[in-house]
Amino acid sequence: MKLAVVGGGSTYTPELIDGFARLRDTLPIEELVLVDPATDRLELVGGLARRIFAKQGHPGRIVTTSDLDAGVADADAVLLQLRVGGQAARNQDETWPLECGCVGQETTGAGGLAKAMRTVPVVLDIAERVRRTNPNAWIIDFTNPVGIVTRALLQAGHKTVGLCNVAIGFQRKFARLLDVTPAEVHLDHVGLNHLTWELGVRLGGPDGENVLPGLLAEHGDTIAGDLRMPRALVDRLGVVPSYYLRYFYAHDEVVKELGTKPSRAAEVAAMEKELLAMYGDPALDEKPALLAKRGGAFYSEAAVDLASSLLGSGGSAVQVVNTYNRGTLPFLPDDAVIEVQARVDGTGAAPLAVPELDPLYAGLIADVTAYEDLALEAALRGGRDRVFKALLAHPLIGQFAYAEALTDKLIAHNREHLAWA
């Protein structure tokens, strides 16, 4: 089995490598290719990756290359984890929206649109090159904004499933609180990427007992604290929102907070510098503890589970993924991309039925889906008017003056990445 990781020079990659090494019986990789144009970073990451495999006794071969076509040739699956423009572009996404009194974040609001505008054309080009070398390869998308990027890939006819680590993080957290194994915890996880709610926490499978009410009663303070939301809000909802919902439920508070401290991109850039120095130490043969602060917890385990099911080595499995709606949420088009539990096998992902949604959640999902429609149109076709319409449609913006100002700022800060600008 051959896997390729595009964006393999990311400081995230050792987390992925560790998962591949620990779970080698689930996903028997013979060759792993790390592809990245940043050759200096790639060699540091690649060296550590080989040492991790060697320490854990993994027999697979790790190859590094900056040649995309060679790297993805004959791959059974290609994992995408790229960041167009790097942390410098992310820093802009997180700062210029604040100048208009709007949240600055890399996956939602105006910053999220900027990231989509930069990313979609690049990802589609990569996917076309994968299809030319191996049309049967699966493309697993970790690249944010996952929902929009995955929809772009699916609409272009690629064999694609999108993946985020939010659900697996909740699963692990609830398992610890309940003192059970993660495999015993099934989530009624519903929504769009970075816009989800845990409507139920079931023991034993989709039809198991819903223990969420008791979980909130006993551990509500801990859960709300991790979300950085008031316990009263979580109790009133009776469900567990993704922490990304804080940008919606406490928008003005978050904007004030973000204006008083360095951006997350600045923090991550400093962390990456330290991590890369560690990766260059020939004595290091395991992922460093600092990597846990970089983000992406458990994403290696989610990736292994997904890849093993898609490639047939792990059989059919139920997992939270991003895929076409196909009637699952009846108020959305079939070709909207949603994030729900799905049965995954060699044919792809088939969403499971979900509970009927309260209008409180369905309304916001519908609004953000409409924004994502317009965002993808802007990313694919360009043009100031399309950018403006997407921003005006976003629930976190929605005002003419804000949309006008943010449109000009988005284009000004991303001109080098927008061919039409």
Side-chain angles (χ1 to χ4, degrees):
M1 180 185 296
K2 176 180 175 179
L3 265 64
V5 180
V6 178
S10 168
T11 54
Y12 268 137
T13 299
E15 164 70 24
L16 189 62
I17 299 299
D18 178 71
F20 288 160
R22 287 185 293 102
L23 302 170
R24 56 186 174 274
D25 292 337
T26 302
L27 190 67
I29 299 171
E30 297 167 292
E31 182 178 0
L32 177 65
V33 184
L34 306 181
V35 184
D36 204 298
T39 54
D40 52 344
R41 294 169 59 109
L42 184 60
E43 289 312 309
L44 292 174
V45 173
L48 175 57
R50 294 185 186 99
R51 295 192 297 273
I52 292 173
F53 262 30
K55 181 179 182 180
Q56 299 197 32
H58 195 298
R61 182 168 74 107
I62 294 179
V63 178
T64 58
T65 181
S66 58
D67 185 334
L68 175 67
D69 295 320
V72 302
D74 302 319
D76 296 288
V78 177
L79 284 65
L80 303 182
Q81 57 168 31
L82 53 146
R83 183 185 296 280
V84 179
Q87 295 297 333
R90 176 182 180 176
N91 185 66
Q92 293 182 354
D93 295 344
E94 294 177 339
T95 51
W96 55 261
L98 297 175
E99 297 169 9
C100 296
C102 295
V103 69
Q105 211 278 330
E106 66 160 342
T107 64
T108 194
L113 177 60
K115 185 174 178 65
M117 298 286 296
R118 295 192 303 270
T119 305
V120 166
V122 173
V123 166
L124 288 177
D125 177 66
I126 292 169
E128 285 301 324
R129 293 164 72 176
V130 171
R131 180 152 55 189
R132 286 199 299 268
T133 59
N134 184 6
N136 294 317
W138 278 102
I139 296 177
I140 298 175
D141 177 50
F142 298 123
T143 299
N144 281 320
V146 167
I148 296 173
V149 173
T150 299
R151 185 169 181 182
L153 288 165
L154 287 169
Q155 287 187 174
H158 298 289
K159 293 175 60 177
T160 305
V161 179
L163 188 62
C164 179
N165 72 319
V166 168
I168 196 171
F170 275 130
Q171 182 196 44
R172 280 6 185 215
K173 182 181 300 181
F174 295 153
R176 288 194 303 271
L177 294 175
L178 294 166
D179 195 24
V180 299
T181 65
E184 295 176 80
V185 176
H186 176 93
L187 303 176
D188 289 338
H189 178 100
V190 181
L192 310 177
N193 181 242
H194 290 184
L195 193 88
T196 53
W197 296 263
E198 310 307 326
L199 304 184
V201 177
R202 301 183 183 277
L203 293 182
D207 299 320
E209 177 191 2
N210 181 15
V211 299
L212 181 57
L215 196 60
L216 289 175
E218 186 173 353
H219 300 287
D221 286 341
T222 297
I223 293 170
D226 288 345
L227 298 172
R228 299 184 65 198
M229 294 183 191
R231 168 75 186 268
L233 171 61
V234 177
D235 284 343
R236 185 169 296 182
L237 294 176
V239 303
V240 179
S242 159
Y243 45 83
Y244 286 94
L245 266 299
R246 185 168 183 258
Y247 299 117
F248 293 81
Y249 294 158
H251 177 271
D252 293 354
E253 177 186 336
V254 172
V255 169
K256 290 179 182 177
E257 175 188 299
L258 292 174
T260 64
K261 62 181 184 179
S263 69
R264 174 63 177 165
E267 294 175 355
V268 170
M271 200 180 303
E272 285 193 332
K273 185 176 181 181
E274 189 174 351
L275 284 169
L276 289 170
M278 292 179 177
Y279 295 171
D281 179 356
L284 183 67
D285 56 9
E286 60 186 14
K287 63 178 183 180
L290 178 62
L291 187 54
K293 298 180 180 179
R294 172 67 178 79
F298 306 115
Y299 105 112
S300 63
E301 296 175 34
V304 168
D305 288 346
L306 179 55
S308 65
S309 294
L310 291 172
L311 299 177
S313 62
S316 174
V318 172
Q319 185 173 3
V320 173
V321 297
N322 286 261
T323 190
Y324 272 149
N325 178 42
R326 299 189 187 93
T328 308
L329 300 180
F331 54 89
L332 296 183
D334 284 349
D335 65 349
V337 166
I338 60 173
E339 185 173 290
V340 295
Q341 293 276 10
R343 186 161 297 281
V344 183
D345 59 22
T347 66
L352 302 184
V354 302
E356 184 177 354
L357 283 184
D358 187 297
L360 179 63
Y361 315 124
L364 186 53
I365 290 171
D367 282 353
V368 176
T369 297
Y371 151 75
E372 290 189 348
D373 290 346
L374 294 167
L376 182 54
E377 184 75 2
L380 291 173
R381 300 179 62 191
R384 187 187 187 281
D385 191 53
R386 293 188 182 93
V387 173
F388 167 78
K389 287 179 178 178
L391 290 169
L392 188 63
H394 200 293
L396 294 181
I397 302 167
Q399 297 184 53
F400 171 76
Y402 287 173
E404 277 280 89
L406 289 167
T407 297
D408 290 337
K409 290 179 182 294
L410 185 153
I411 294 171
H413 284 283
N414 291 276
R415 197 175 299 276
E416 66 181 294
H417 299 289
L418 305 177
W420 53 269

